Amino acid sequence: MSIVLISCKHDTKLDADAIVDKSIEVSGGELIGNSTIQFAFRGKHYSAKRKNGLFTLSRTISKDSITILDKLSNDSFERYVNREIRQIADSMIPRYSASVNSVHYFSVLPYGLNDAAVNKTCLGLSKVKGEDYHKIKVTFNEIGGGEDFEDVFVYWIHKETFKMDYLAYSYDEGHGKGYRFREAFNERYVEGIRFLDYNNYKPQSKNVDLIGMDNLFEEDRLELLSKIELKNIEVSF
């Protein structure tokens, strides 16, 4: 599809799909779906093996003489402690699964935004740091949407390059909504796959409109909370 034919119109699902499709393509596309990706994040080792829709996502935590390996696949979660499988309470599996999945999810965005449980809506164009961006809202179906299916995301996809450079999301803090805004930096391609680090911001006030987080960013009304940085990235096929 020619880029000039893709325009973001309000509430037009087809346009949102086309924009996300193009963004996934320029970020690695099918390469991601048939790859093994490894990286370090905050002292933990992560590995993702994807092949024709099947996946195994893992996280390894090593401390002193204890090594914990969590493995999440299409239909199961397993935990190993020093290479021995451990029985996990059913009530804890969704929490551990979400913890592993979230890091892998963010590591290859916008890949994953075409999953069956994802709903995309185009919110029009937005200008951030003088550049035009398609603004895409993402929600999730309860079935297939994971433990945090009620979370809402907004992605800013560059009008010309179709690269995703900003994102915001809301999440349940237990006593109300929490909000984050991420600004991408340190873009690099490893074996044809785009990877990003992020400046991770939080709003200065709890009275926040998720859709307008880009306005708060432009007005310097967000507080830098942390940096999301992937280290030692390796990709193989």
Side-chain angles (χ1 to χ4, degrees):
M1 178 179 292
S2 173
I3 291 177
V4 298
L5 296 180
I6 301 175
S7 60
C8 189
K9 299 178 181 178
H10 290 281
D11 300 320
T12 305
K13 183 177 183 297
L14 178 62
D15 288 339
D17 286 341
I19 291 163
V20 169
D21 285 349
K22 186 65 180 179
S23 187
I24 292 173
E25 178 186 335
V26 302
S27 299
E30 295 181 1
L31 293 176
I32 300 172
N34 291 280
S35 67
T36 297
I37 299 173
Q38 300 186 71
F39 57 88
F41 176 62
R42 293 180 175 171
K44 303 176 181 67
H45 180 265
Y46 289 82
S47 177
K49 297 181 179 181
R50 300 179 177 91
K51 185 72 171 179
N52 298 326
L54 299 177
F55 64 82
T56 301
L57 310 178
S58 71
R59 174 184 63 191
T60 303
I61 306 170
S62 297
K63 186 175 182 180
D64 300 327
S65 60
I66 298 176
T67 298
I68 299 173
L69 170 62
D70 291 332
K71 295 177 66 175
L72 175 66
S73 64
N74 295 70
D75 55 8
S76 69
F77 174 86
E78 296 175 331
R79 166 164 285 192
Y80 296 82
V81 178
N82 291 342
R83 299 187 178 183
E84 293 186 2
I85 194 166
R86 293 294 176 90
Q87 187 71 30
I88 302 297
D90 290 344
S91 61
M92 297 302 296
I93 289 177
R95 181 180 300 180
Y96 290 148
S97 297
S99 179
V100 172
N101 183 66
S102 64
V103 174
H104 285 289
Y105 176 84
F106 282 112
S107 73
V108 289
L109 281 172
Y111 185 82
L113 296 188
N114 278 339
D115 290 351
V118 173
N119 306 300
K120 300 183 286 288
T121 304
C122 214
L123 302 177
L125 289 174
S126 172
K127 192 175 290 291
V128 184
K129 288 190 173 181
E131 299 286 334
D132 289 326
Y133 286 88
H134 298 295
K135 202 169 180 178
I136 307 294
K137 178 182 176 182
V138 167
T139 60
F140 303 90
N141 297 329
E142 182 173 359
I143 298 175
E147 184 183 36
D148 301 319
F149 71 91
E150 294 181 322
D151 293 353
V152 179
F153 286 73
V154 180
Y155 296 90
W156 284 261
I157 297 175
H158 197 279
K159 183 182 177 182
E160 302 299 329
T161 67
F162 287 90
K163 293 180 178 181
M164 188 273 294
D165 293 330
Y166 305 93
L167 67 100
Y169 60 96
S170 65
Y171 61 96
D172 185 3
E173 290 188 313
H175 55 275
K177 288 287 186 181
Y179 299 88
R180 293 290 183 267
F181 182 89
R182 293 189 180 184
E183 173 194 22
F185 71 95
N186 191 26
E187 177 195 64
R188 64 273 200 208
Y189 279 81
V190 180
E191 300 294 337
I193 297 174
R194 183 178 187 242
F195 293 94
L196 302 166
D197 295 330
Y198 297 94
N199 289 318
N200 187 35
Y201 296 90
K202 69 175 182 178
Q204 297 173 350
S205 168
K206 290 189 175 182
N207 185 21
V208 173
D209 173 20
L210 177 68
I211 304 302
M213 289 281 277
D214 51 341
N215 296 325
L216 296 180
F217 177 69
E218 287 280 274
E219 296 165 4
D220 198 25
R221 294 168 59 194
L222 297 175
E223 176 184 340
L224 182 61
L225 181 65
S226 63
K227 289 184 178 289
I228 310 296
E229 298 176 291
L230 306 183
K231 305 288 189 180
N232 305 324
I233 298 171
E234 297 180 7
V235 176
S236 58
F237 300 102

